[in-house]
């Protein structure tokens, strides 16, 4: 099993164009803060942010790179096509993450084709963002180094499932043997993190609960209305 990503907390440092932290060097500074706090890796979106983070961290932590891009003919948006894969191969990220769900990709390109391209043109490990048990096992069969629960509750098939789905994590920890399982999604409390770790997964991604201050603030503001 690939050991590029050590056991521990992976912090997702991302901001989309419609979010207040987008632009400038904010995300790179956030990654440095995560490093100082003890994170073992950073998950980042766009070549621009990946490069900025890499300059700041100076190789101190591995970066899991992805590119979010919308295409009109598909709901897949995490590293959806060969164009994004090629960009990440050239970018200073240690691991390439991509949607590995069973949904149709833009242009009808197959997931196997993208995996083969990475294997033939790079030595970077690859991470499968999945939503179901079947997708996890299919990703393992394709040779993904990591399988992450990133898209649980975010696909049409799994929409409405409460996350973190600890039972799902427990199943993947038992059934996925040749890929490293990573938990991601919906973890906002220490108790939720503890429950996920007890499932048998020892690499966990947390994003919004750490790096989206507008969401963190909103959660506290909501308490006022409950008094």
């Amino acid at each position: 099993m690939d050991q590029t990503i050590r056991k521990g907390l992976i912090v997702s440092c991302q901001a989309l164009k419609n979010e207040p932290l987008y632009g400038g060097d904010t995300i790179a500074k956030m990654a440095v803060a995560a490093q100082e706090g003890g994170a073992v890796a950073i998950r980042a979106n766009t070549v621009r942010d990946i490069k900025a983070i890499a300059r700041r961290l100076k190789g101190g932590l591995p970066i899991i790179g992805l590119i979010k891009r919308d295409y009109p003919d598909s709901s897949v948006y995490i590293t959806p096509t060969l164009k994004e894969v090629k960009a990440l191969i050239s970018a200073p990220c240690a691991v390439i993450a991509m949607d590995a769900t069973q949904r149709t990709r833009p242009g009808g390109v197959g997931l196997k084709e993208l995996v083969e391209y990475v294997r033939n043109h790079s030595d970077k490990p690859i991470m499968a963002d999945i939503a179901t048990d079947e997708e996890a096992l299919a990703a393992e069969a394709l040779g993904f180094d990591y399988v992450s629960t990133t898209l649980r509750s975010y696909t049409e098939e799994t929409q409405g499932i409460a996350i973190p789905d600890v039972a799902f994590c427990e199943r993947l920890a038992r059934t996925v043997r040749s890929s490293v399982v990573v938990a991601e999604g919906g973890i906002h409390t220490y108790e939720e993190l503890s429950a996920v770790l007890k499932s048998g997964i020892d690499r966990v991604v947390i994003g919004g609960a750490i790096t989206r201050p507008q969401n963190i603030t909103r959660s506290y503001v909501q308490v006022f209305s409950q008094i």
Side-chain angles (χ1 to χ4, degrees):
M1 288 188 177
D2 186 81
Q3 296 296 317
T4 301
I5 308 299
R6 296 187 287 114
K7 298 176 182 179
L9 176 64
I10 302 158
V11 177
S12 180
C13 297
Q14 301 181 38
L16 301 177
K17 287 185 177 180
N18 63 332
E19 296 179 333
L21 297 188
Y22 180 81
D25 61 353
T26 304
I27 295 302
K29 288 180 176 179
M30 193 80 77
V32 174
Q35 180 186 37
E36 291 184 1
V40 300
I42 302 296
R43 182 171 162 110
N45 170 40
T46 77
V47 171
R48 176 189 177 280
D49 279 353
I50 291 168
K51 286 182 176 179
I53 292 169
R55 285 194 298 269
R56 287 273 186 169
L57 297 184
K58 297 180 175 62
L61 290 181
I63 301 170
I64 302 166
L66 59 123
I67 297 175
K68 291 180 177 177
R69 186 164 290 155
D70 291 317
Y71 286 87
D73 61 339
S74 174
S75 56
V76 171
Y77 70 98
I78 297 177
T79 316
T81 75
L82 189 57
K83 178 181 179 180
E84 291 79 36
V85 167
K86 288 180 177 179
L88 291 172
I89 287 175
S90 300
C93 57
V95 177
I96 294 174
M98 67 181 78
D99 182 308
T101 64
Q102 295 177 343
R103 297 177 292 181
T104 301
R105 306 184 82 87
V109 64
L111 181 61
K112 183 179 179 181
E113 178 183 338
L114 298 185
V115 171
E116 290 177 348
Y117 188 90
V118 175
R119 295 309 192 201
N120 291 331
H121 295 85
S122 170
D123 59 358
K124 293 183 179 183
I126 49 177
M127 178 177 290
D129 291 345
I130 57 87
T132 68
D133 299 79
E134 294 75 20
E135 290 165 354
L137 295 175
E140 180 184 30
L142 281 175
F144 275 89
D145 302 280
Y146 300 89
V147 171
S148 177
T149 65
T150 310
L151 293 168
R152 186 71 168 175
S153 189
Y154 293 101
T155 62
E156 186 174 321
E157 184 179 356
T158 63
Q159 189 173 9
I161 293 176
I163 53 175
D165 186 342
V166 176
F168 179 57
C169 291
E170 290 173 345
R171 290 199 302 275
L172 295 191
R174 290 196 309 269
T175 59
V176 176
R177 309 311 304 169
S178 59
S179 304
V180 177
V181 180
V182 178
E184 177 175 7
I187 300 169
H188 291 94
T189 68
Y190 305 132
E191 292 76 17
E192 288 170 341
L193 173 57
S194 179
V196 168
L197 292 174
K198 289 176 181 176
S199 75
I201 296 175
D202 50 24
R203 292 164 176 84
V204 179
V205 179
I206 297 180
I210 296 174
T211 58
R212 282 197 164 93
Q214 72 274 27
N215 293 350
I216 299 168
T217 302
R218 191 175 297 118
S219 67
Y220 282 110
V221 169
Q222 288 173 350
V223 177
F224 284 81
S225 63
Q226 299 166 8
I227 301 301

